Each structure stands twice: as structure tokens, then as C-alpha cells.
Amino acid sequence: QVQLVESGGGLVQAGDSLRLSCAASGRTGSIVTMGWFRQAPGKERELVATISRSSGSTSYTDAVKGRFTISRDNVKNTVYLQMNSLKPEDTAVYYCAANVFYSRDYDYWGQGTQVTVSS
């Protein structure tokens, strides 16, 4: 069992920055990959960024590449999403999720944190 808690969302203006945090607890040693997802009203959930717990390798969707940075602190069992140059299109509920060993999907999800970017 893994528990994930997101924090750091809020209301900002276009061009501003936010840093989201995702604190993991429980069987964190079973985590292979952490991901940040987002879902805007009326849209499908979108994978934003991923990071490997062991190697730190990252990936990003094209919409955020160059603006967002995912990072991890394995001592604190926390994953971050630094969001710079925010755009109104980034407005969504952001979720962190964990993929564990032998799974082909994300198994654990946080409750979500709202990010709203005004123009």
C-alpha cells in the first residue's frame, strides 16, 4: 500500500510559477515510476511528467516541455513538479500517481490539487 498526498496548487496569473509536491508513504520501496497527471473540465486525464525513482530519468508531454520540471527527493519520499511560465491552458486538477513493480499501470493516486491560471 502506498499513500500519496499532493499539495502546492493555487490560483496564479499567466507567467507565474508554482511548485507542486507529492508526499509518498507506505511501501515506497515498491515504486518504480512517479507521474504527474492533470485533468481539466471536459477533457481526458493527461500524463504531464514522469520520473524514475531509482535513476531519476524524466519524461514530459510536449505541452509542458521546457516549462515544467519534475524532480524527486528519495530521502523525503517526495516528488515535485516545478511549473514555470504558466499558461491558462495549464489550468487543471493535478494528480500524482505511483507505478509499482510488475504493474503496467499507475496503481496509486493522490487526491489532486487544483491549479488555476488566469490570463
Side-chain angles (χ1 to χ4, degrees), residues 12-102:
V12 298
Q13 292 190 326
D16 286 351
S17 297
L18 279 175
R19 189 183 74 162
L20 306 183
S21 299
C22 176
S25 59
R27 296 186 178 183
T28 57
S30 67
I31 297 173
V32 176
T33 305
M34 295 291 299
W36 283 99
F37 291 76
R38 66 185 181 185
Q39 187 167 27
K43 295 186 178 180
E44 295 293 313
R45 185 167 294 171
E46 175 188 23
L47 178 60
V48 176
T50 67
I51 186 166
S52 167
R53 175 176 168 268
S54 59
S55 71
S57 297
T58 60
S59 66
Y60 301 90
T61 188
D62 288 344
V64 308
K65 189 175 182 179
R67 299 188 297 119
F68 291 11
T69 303
I70 188 171
S71 61
R72 53 126 169 84
D73 184 334
N74 285 347
V75 175
K76 296 182 178 180
N77 288 318
T78 300
V79 175
Y80 305 95
L81 185 67
Q82 178 67 45
M83 305 185 295
N84 298 327
S85 302
L86 282 162
K87 304 175 180 179
E89 307 94 89
D90 297 317
T91 296
V93 177
Y94 283 71
Y95 301 89
C96 70
N99 162 262
V100 301
F101 288 115
Y102 313 117

